[in-house]
Amino acid sequence: MKLYRTAKGHFVENGGNFYELPDNEWHDLTTRDDLAAYLESQSTQRATVTAPEASSLLAPIAFQEVWAAGVTYYRSRTARMEESQTAGGGSFYDRVYYAERPEIFFKSLPHRVVGHGGAVRIRKDSKWNVPEPELTLLLTPSGKLIGYTVGNDMSSRDIEGENPLYLPQAKVYDRSCALGPGILVSSDPLAPESRIQMEIVRDEKPCFSDEITLAQMKRTPSTLVEYLFRENTFPNGCFLLTGTGIIPPDTFTLHSGDLIRITIDEIGTLENFVE
Ligand code: DO4
Ligand code: MG
């Protein structure tokens, strides 16, 4: 089942059919531990409707904080070591990749998040920017995993590489995070062979594409969630991005006008232009 937040209401897709939900607040829906059972019962009681238009989709977030894990794929560890070598930060990334404790950082509040079709931004004081396509978990206030979405952890690699202590500036700025298109409602782990694919289109031509499977993630979502909830409460629940395994070559930087298309099997495709 998939759940969509749109300008015209909330819709659930179940077995290939769409149903419009009664007037629930998005916050109330996405903090329910029993969301899957609730949506199942709603879809048996309602008439089918036409699928909502992609242009009406809104970011699937209410008041949740957004957090992110880093260096969860070998490729990410290697890229960070290279970018921070002159700053002497190289060994931090290797150490965190192998350490028991994962890297988890605060990424965003809802007002900095855009949904499918929204424009993400690159910082004006940065010259090297990339999207990071990441499987993203939706967690309720009790810490229950109730769904998945596609996330883009926009990053300024020159700022991050200059000094690891600049990470929050490389990661947290207006419209530095995209989530969507909707929520795959499931508490089951996704199949290890599920692919994350990213394509970047410039002047209507693909200029980068790559893919990776979830099998290559070093940590499990449940371990990341356990660390995140160890000494934190989330009265509104939270989203947790689980790290990137796709890194464009060092010669690549995003341009204004680029289209970023991220697809995760089972969840869907998130598209954003760069402002
Ligand atoms: O350690 C810096 C950030 C890493 C990250 O965002 C990622 O691996 O996805
Ligand atoms: Mg990331």
Side-chain angles (χ1 to χ4, degrees):
M1 263 182 311
K2 291 184 192 163
L3 177 63
Y4 296 97
R5 176 171 171 246
T6 83
K8 295 183 179 146
H10 307 145
F11 293 85
V12 61
E13 182 186 356
N14 193 356
N17 291 317
F18 283 85
Y19 306 89
E20 186 170 359
L21 294 171
D23 255 355
N24 291 298
E25 293 296 332
W26 188 254
H27 168 77
D28 295 333
L29 277 175
T30 55
T31 50
R32 291 181 77 124
D33 281 353
D34 66 346
L35 179 63
Y38 173 74
L39 295 180
E40 281 290 359
S41 83
Q42 285 297 320
S43 36
T44 56
Q45 293 167 36
R46 300 194 170 263
T48 58
V49 294
T50 52
E53 284 166 23
S55 60
S56 69
L57 290 172
L58 301 175
I61 189 168
F63 307 117
Q64 289 92 347
E65 295 177 22
V66 182
W67 287 69
V71 197
T72 49
Y73 291 81
Y74 194 76
R75 182 71 192 89
S76 178
R77 160 227 173 249
T78 307
R80 312 292 154 189
M81 286 175 74
E82 287 165 5
E83 79 192 5
S84 62
Q85 210 162 24
T86 37
S91 74
F92 285 105
Y93 294 106
D94 194 39
R95 278 159 48 191
V96 82
Y97 181 76
Y98 290 107
E100 193 180 330
R101 182 188 292 275
E103 177 197 4
I104 302 182
F105 56 92
F106 176 76
K107 174 67 186 175
S108 191
L109 289 173
H111 72 275
R112 298 196 187 94
V113 174
V114 300
H116 177 83
V120 289
R121 289 186 57 254
I122 48 182
R123 290 184 67 112
K124 292 197 181 66
D125 57 359
S126 168
K127 292 194 162 36
W128 186 15
N129 290 276
V130 292
E132 294 189 352
E134 307 190 8
L135 172 69
T136 301
L137 317 177
L138 171 58
L139 304 156
T140 66
S142 74
K144 183 173 181 203
L145 170 66
I146 55 164
Y148 300 90
T149 190
V150 180
N152 177 358
D153 170 26
M154 291 284 288
S155 301
S156 298
R157 291 194 63 191
D158 48 354
I159 295 178
E160 173 187 84
E162 190 179 336
N163 190 318
L165 295 178
Y166 293 157
L167 186 78
Q169 294 177 74
K171 296 286 191 179
V172 184
Y173 59 89
D174 287 344
R175 286 189 266 143
S176 64
C177 181
L179 297 175
I183 304 287
L184 169 70
V185 180
S186 170
S187 299
D188 299 334
L190 297 187
E193 58 276 10
S194 299
R195 286 168 310 166
I196 302 180
Q197 296 167 283
M198 180 166 73
E199 179 180 45
I200 302 172
V201 179
R202 182 170 297 161
D203 300 327
E204 295 178 16
K205 292 183 218 66
C207 63
F208 173 79
S209 71
D210 201 357
E211 64 177 55
I212 194 157
T213 66
L214 296 180
Q216 291 172 70
M217 203 199 294
K218 182 150 192 291
R219 320 259 178 186
T220 61
S222 58
T223 305
L224 298 175
V225 173
E226 194 274 309
Y227 270 95
L228 179 60
F229 276 72
R230 258 190 201 186
E231 291 294 336
N232 273 313
T233 47
F234 295 95
N236 299 313
C238 68
F239 285 90
L240 175 59
L241 284 78
T242 58
T244 187
I246 298 179
I247 315 266
D250 290 357
T251 48
F252 179 90
T253 187
L254 283 171
H255 290 183
S256 171
D258 287 354
L259 173 67
I260 304 161
R261 185 177 288 135
I262 304 170
T263 301
I264 302 185
D265 294 342
E266 295 148 278
I267 304 176
T269 299
L270 171 67
E271 286 189 354
N272 300 98
F273 275 101
V274 180
E275 184 175 292

